């Protein structure tokens, strides 16, 4: 599964805090950063490489699924509070997907982004 161009606008709606920067990766992982760091891509990539891979039997395999009000899909969080993944309905067979399935897909997308991080969008906080 690959990046959907509308994902950038969705993240802008989800994260309206002007003091928050974020870096979006190809498979839907978004790394949150405070302030407007000059090296946002490097910081986000390093965090994703360190905390993004899924290792069975560890906290990195855990996830929570958060339905989105008024927006398509779900947000999947993990053991690191600065890493979130957006899962689109079409990635899990539609809006009626089981939350477990949504979480497993989100976890897999995070793992893919950690394995091959490819930045597709950067939003820097207003400074």
């Amino acid at each position: 599964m690959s990046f959907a161009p509308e994902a950038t606008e969705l993240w802008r709606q989800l994260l309206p805090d002007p003091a928050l920067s974020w870096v979006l990766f190809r498979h839907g992982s978004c790394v949150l950063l405070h302030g407007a760091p000059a090296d946002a891509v490097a910081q986000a990539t390093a965090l994703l490489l360190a905390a993004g891979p899924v290792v069975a039997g560890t906290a990195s395999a855990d996830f929570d699924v958060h339905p989105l009000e008024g927006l398509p899909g779900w947000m999947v969080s993990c053991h690191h509070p600065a890493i979130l993944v957006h899962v689109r309905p079409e990635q899990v067979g539609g809006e009626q997907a089981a939350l477990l399935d949504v979480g497993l897909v989100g976890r897999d997308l995070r793992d893919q982004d950690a394995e091959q991080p490819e930045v597709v969008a950067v939003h820097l906080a207003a400074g």
Side-chain angles (χ1 to χ4, degrees):
M1 293 179 211
S2 62
F3 173 70
E6 65 275 5
T8 302
E9 181 55 35
L10 181 115
W11 281 103
R12 284 190 177 115
Q13 292 176 42
L14 289 170
L15 304 171
D17 182 348
L20 192 63
S21 292
W22 46 266
V23 177
L24 182 59
F25 292 84
R26 179 173 183 78
H27 296 285
S29 300
C30 188
V31 176
L32 312 179
L33 303 166
H34 292 284
D39 60 346
V41 169
Q43 281 187 33
T45 302
L47 181 57
L48 189 61
L49 289 172
V54 176
V55 179
T58 70
S60 70
D62 295 342
F63 57 81
D64 287 310
V65 178
H66 312 275
L68 300 176
E69 303 254 345
L71 295 170
W74 303 263
M75 196 60 54
V76 178
S77 60
C78 67
H79 67 295
H80 197 290
I83 301 174
L84 300 170
V85 178
H86 177 249
V87 176
R88 301 184 316 267
E90 62 269 19
Q91 292 174 299
V92 290
E95 291 284 348
Q96 302 306 316
L99 294 182
L100 176 62
D101 293 336
V102 172
L104 291 171
V105 167
R107 181 179 73 177
D108 183 56
L109 294 170
R110 173 174 44 96
D111 193 54
Q112 289 178 56
D113 279 332
E115 186 175 308
Q116 295 182 328
E118 180 183 335
V119 173
V120 294
V122 177
H123 171 81
L124 294 177

